[in-house]
Amino acid sequence: MEQFILEYGGLVFAVLGMALVVAIPGLSSGKGVGMVGEATTGLMVDQSEKFGKSLLLQMMPASQGLYGFVVAIMTLGRLHVGMGLQEGLFILMACLPMAIVGGPTAISQAKVAVNGVHLLARNENEMTKNIIYAVMVETYALLAFVTSIIILNSVTF
């Protein structure tokens, strides 16, 4: 077992980081987009002319899944069979900011966007304020995304 960890542990940990950074934000983004989609569908029954504005709200929770995917693609370029344990653990740690922050921010942003759909149904002129609230949640996902990229590119082995 010890020999296996020494030979392949780096690659295993790096792939684990890659899997986490895709799975956690992706799962939450999918759930968030679904939550907003349910609210938007109700709006379309009575006010289908608001489709374009509601689509913007529905797309917002999807960004965390995309950020996670980008970090995973950047990680993919660093994988190799002879990767040392130290490098693999470093890549795992680099993926964690986006993996940890991406999920909760997608759900929080979806909750804000659902309320935005309700606001859009009642008062279309106030929708910009809701978009600003949703973008404020996005800020923390962006900080985690940039942090993962900076860490991933800060050290070469």
Side-chain angles (χ1 to χ4, degrees):
M1 183 67 172
E2 182 179 325
Q3 185 64 28
F4 176 80
I5 291 174
L6 289 175
E7 285 184 30
Y8 303 108
L11 185 62
V12 169
F13 281 118
V15 171
L16 175 64
M18 188 176 162
L20 290 174
V21 80
V22 169
I24 296 171
L27 181 67
S28 298
S29 284
K31 182 176 180 178
V33 169
M35 291 166 56
V36 181
E38 289 175 15
T40 303
T41 302
L43 177 67
M44 291 300 103
V45 171
D46 295 327
Q47 304 173 40
S48 62
E49 70 279 1
K50 295 180 180 176
F51 172 75
K53 291 182 178 179
S54 67
L55 186 60
L56 176 63
L57 290 169
Q58 186 174 8
M59 290 172 43
M60 295 189 96
S63 61
Q64 288 83 354
L66 294 174
Y67 298 155
F69 184 71
V70 169
V71 171
I73 294 296
M74 293 180 70
T75 301
L76 183 64
R78 294 189 59 167
L79 298 181
H80 57 91
V81 175
M83 177 180 285
L85 187 59
Q86 186 179 21
E87 184 177 1
L89 285 170
F90 178 80
I91 290 174
L92 171 64
M93 295 300 140
C95 291
L96 287 182
M98 190 63 226
I100 293 170
V101 175
T105 56
I107 298 299
S108 296
Q109 195 170 41
K111 290 177 181 176
V112 173
V114 165
N115 287 322
V117 171
H118 296 164
L119 182 63
L120 179 62
R122 292 187 201 132
N123 187 355
E124 190 172 343
N125 296 328
E126 298 293 325
M127 189 186 141
T128 304
K129 292 176 184 172
N130 184 265
I131 291 173
I132 292 170
Y133 296 144
V135 168
M136 291 173 77
V137 177
E138 182 77 20
T139 301
Y140 295 97
L142 270 171
L143 291 174
F145 174 60
V146 171
T147 300
S148 284
I149 289 175
I150 289 171
I151 294 171
L152 199 56
N153 291 316
S154 66
V155 176
T156 55
F157 288 85

